[in-house]
Coordinates of all heavy atoms in Angstrom, one line a residue:
E51 N -18.1 13.7 11.2 CA -17.2 15.1 11.2 C -15.9 14.7 11.8 O -14.9 15.1 11.3 CB -17.9 15.9 12.0 CG -17.2 17.3 12.0 CD -17.8 18.4 13.0 OE1 -19.0 18.4 13.1 OE2 -17.0 19.3 13.4
V52 N -15.7 14.0 13.0 CA -14.5 13.7 13.7 C -13.7 12.8 12.7 O -12.5 13.1 12.6 CB -14.8 13.1 15.1 CG1 -13.5 12.6 15.7 CG2 -15.4 14.3 15.9
L53 N -14.2 11.7 12.4 CA -13.5 10.7 11.4 C -12.9 11.5 10.2 O -11.8 11.4 9.9 CB -14.3 9.5 11.1 CG -14.7 8.6 12.3 CD1 -15.5 7.5 11.8 CD2 -13.3 8.0 12.8
A54 N -13.9 12.3 9.6 CA -13.3 13.0 8.4 C -12.1 13.9 8.8 O -11.2 14.1 8.0 CB -14.4 13.8 7.7
H55 N -12.2 14.7 9.9 CA -11.3 15.6 10.3 C -9.9 14.9 10.5 O -8.9 15.3 10.1 CB -11.8 16.2 11.6 CG -11.0 17.2 12.3 ND1 -10.9 18.6 12.3 CD2 -9.7 17.1 12.8 CE1 -10.1 19.1 12.8 NE2 -9.3 18.3 13.3
E56 N -9.9 13.7 11.2 CA -8.8 12.9 11.5 C -8.2 12.4 10.3 O -6.9 12.2 10.2 CB -9.1 12.0 12.6 CG -9.5 12.5 13.9 CD -8.7 13.8 14.5 OE1 -7.5 13.9 14.1 OE2 -9.2 14.5 15.3
I57 N -9.1 11.8 9.3 CA -8.6 11.2 8.2 C -7.8 12.4 7.4 O -6.6 12.2 6.7 CB -9.6 10.6 7.4 CG1 -10.0 9.4 8.1 CG2 -9.1 10.3 6.0 CD1 -11.4 8.8 7.5
I58 N -8.3 13.5 7.4 CA -7.8 14.7 6.7 C -6.3 15.0 7.2 O -5.3 15.1 6.5 CB -8.6 15.9 6.6 CG1 -9.9 15.7 5.7 CG2 -7.8 17.1 6.1 CD1 -10.9 16.6 5.9
H59 N -6.3 15.0 8.6 CA -5.0 15.2 9.2 C -4.0 14.0 8.9 O -2.7 14.3 8.7 CB -5.2 15.2 10.7 CG -5.5 16.3 11.4 ND1 -4.7 17.5 11.2 CD2 -6.4 16.7 12.3 CE1 -5.2 18.5 11.9 NE2 -6.2 18.2 12.6
A60 N -4.6 12.8 8.8 CA -3.6 11.7 8.5 C -2.9 11.8 7.1 O -1.8 11.5 6.9 CB -4.4 10.4 8.5
R61 N -3.7 12.3 6.2 CA -3.2 12.4 4.7 C -2.5 13.8 4.5 O -1.5 13.7 3.7 CB -4.4 12.2 3.7 CG -4.0 12.2 2.3 CD -3.1 11.0 2.1 NE -2.7 10.9 0.7 CZ -1.6 11.6 0.2 NH1 -0.7 12.3 0.9 NH2 -1.3 11.5 -1.0
L62 N -3.0 14.7 5.1 CA -2.5 16.2 4.8 C -2.1 16.8 6.2 O -2.6 17.8 6.7 CB -3.6 17.1 4.1 CG -4.2 16.4 2.9 CD1 -5.3 17.2 2.4 CD2 -3.0 16.5 1.8
W63 N -1.1 16.1 6.9 CA -0.7 16.5 8.3 C -0.3 17.9 8.4 O -0.3 18.5 9.6 CB 0.3 15.6 8.8 CG 1.6 15.5 8.0 CD1 1.8 14.6 7.0 CD2 2.6 16.4 8.1 NE1 3.0 14.9 6.4 CE2 3.6 16.0 7.1 CE3 3.1 17.3 9.0 CZ2 4.8 16.6 6.9 CZ3 4.2 18.1 8.9 CH2 5.2 17.6 7.9
D64 N 0.2 18.6 7.4 CA 0.7 20.0 7.5 C -0.3 21.1 7.1 O -0.1 22.2 7.1 CB 2.0 20.0 6.7 CG 1.8 19.8 5.2 OD1 0.7 19.2 4.9 OD2 2.7 20.1 4.5
I65 N -1.5 20.6 6.9 CA -2.6 21.6 6.5 C -3.0 22.5 7.7 O -2.9 21.8 8.8 CB -3.8 20.8 5.7 CG1 -4.7 22.0 5.0 CG2 -4.6 20.0 6.7 CD1 -5.8 21.2 4.1
D66 N -3.4 23.5 7.4 CA -3.9 24.5 8.5 C -5.1 23.9 9.2 O -6.1 23.3 8.6 CB -4.3 25.8 7.8 CG -4.9 26.8 8.9 OD1 -4.3 27.2 9.6 OD2 -6.2 27.0 8.7
E67 N -5.1 24.0 10.6 CA -6.1 23.5 11.4 C -7.6 23.9 11.0 O -8.5 23.2 11.0 CB -5.8 23.6 13.0 CG -7.0 22.9 13.8 CD -7.2 21.5 13.9 OE1 -6.1 20.8 13.5 OE2 -8.1 21.0 14.3
Q68 N -7.7 25.1 10.8 CA -9.0 25.7 10.4 C -9.4 25.1 9.0 O -10.7 24.8 9.1 CB -8.9 27.2 10.2 CG -10.2 27.8 10.0 CD -11.2 27.8 11.2 OE1 -10.8 27.7 12.4 NE2 -12.5 27.6 10.8
A69 N -8.6 24.9 8.2 CA -9.0 24.2 7.0 C -9.5 22.8 7.2 O -10.5 22.4 6.6 CB -7.8 24.3 5.9
V70 N -8.8 22.2 8.1 CA -9.2 20.7 8.4 C -10.5 20.7 9.0 O -11.4 19.9 8.7 CB -8.2 20.1 9.3 CG1 -8.7 18.6 9.8 CG2 -6.8 20.0 8.6
L71 N -10.8 21.6 10.0 CA -12.1 21.8 10.7 C -13.2 22.1 9.8 O -14.3 21.4 9.8 CB -11.9 22.9 11.7 CG -13.1 23.2 12.5 CD1 -13.5 21.9 13.4 CD2 -13.0 24.3 13.5
E72 N -12.9 23.0 8.8 CA -14.0 23.3 7.7 C -14.4 22.2 6.9 O -15.5 21.9 6.5 CB -13.5 24.5 7.2 CG -13.6 25.8 7.9 CD -12.9 27.0 7.2 OE1 -12.5 26.8 6.0 OE2 -12.8 28.0 7.8
L73 N -13.4 21.5 6.4 CA -13.4 20.2 5.5 C -14.3 19.2 6.3 O -15.2 18.6 5.5 CB -12.2 19.8 5.0 CG -11.5 20.6 4.0 CD1 -10.0 20.3 3.8 CD2 -12.1 20.6 2.7
G74 N -13.9 18.8 7.5 CA -14.6 18.0 8.3 C -16.0 18.2 8.4 O -16.9 17.3 8.2
Q75 N -16.3 19.4 8.7 CA -17.8 19.9 8.9 C -18.4 19.8 7.7 O -19.7 19.4 7.6 CB -17.8 21.2 9.5 CG -17.2 21.5 10.9 CD -17.1 22.7 11.5 OE1 -17.0 23.8 10.7 NE2 -16.9 22.9 12.8
A76 N -17.9 20.2 6.6 CA -18.6 20.2 5.4 C -18.9 18.8 4.8 O -20.0 18.5 4.2 CB -17.7 20.9 4.2
I77 N -17.9 17.8 5.0 CA -18.2 16.5 4.6 C -19.3 15.9 5.5 O -20.3 15.3 4.8 CB -17.0 15.6 4.8 CG1 -16.0 16.0 3.8 CG2 -17.3 14.1 4.8 CD1 -14.5 15.5 4.1
A78 N -19.4 16.1 6.7 CA -20.4 15.7 7.6 C -21.9 16.3 7.3 O -22.8 15.5 7.2 CB -20.1 15.9 9.0
R79 N -21.8 17.5 7.0 CA -23.0 18.3 6.6 C -23.6 17.6 5.4 O -24.8 17.5 5.1 CB -22.7 19.7 6.6 CG -24.0 20.6 6.1 CD -25.2 20.7 7.0 NE -25.4 20.0 8.4 CZ -26.4 19.3 8.7 NH1 -27.5 19.2 7.9 NH2 -26.4 18.6 9.8

Side-chain angles (χ1 to χ4, degrees):
E51 179 187 333
V52 169
L53 289 174
H55 180 105
E56 300 308 338
I57 290 168
I58 293 165
H59 272 308
R61 183 62 178 93
L62 303 168
W63 59 270
D64 58 347
I65 193 172
D66 175 70
E67 179 66 21
Q68 185 61 36
V70 174
L71 181 65
E72 291 169 3
L73 288 168
Q75 291 171 344
I77 290 166
R79 177 71 351 229

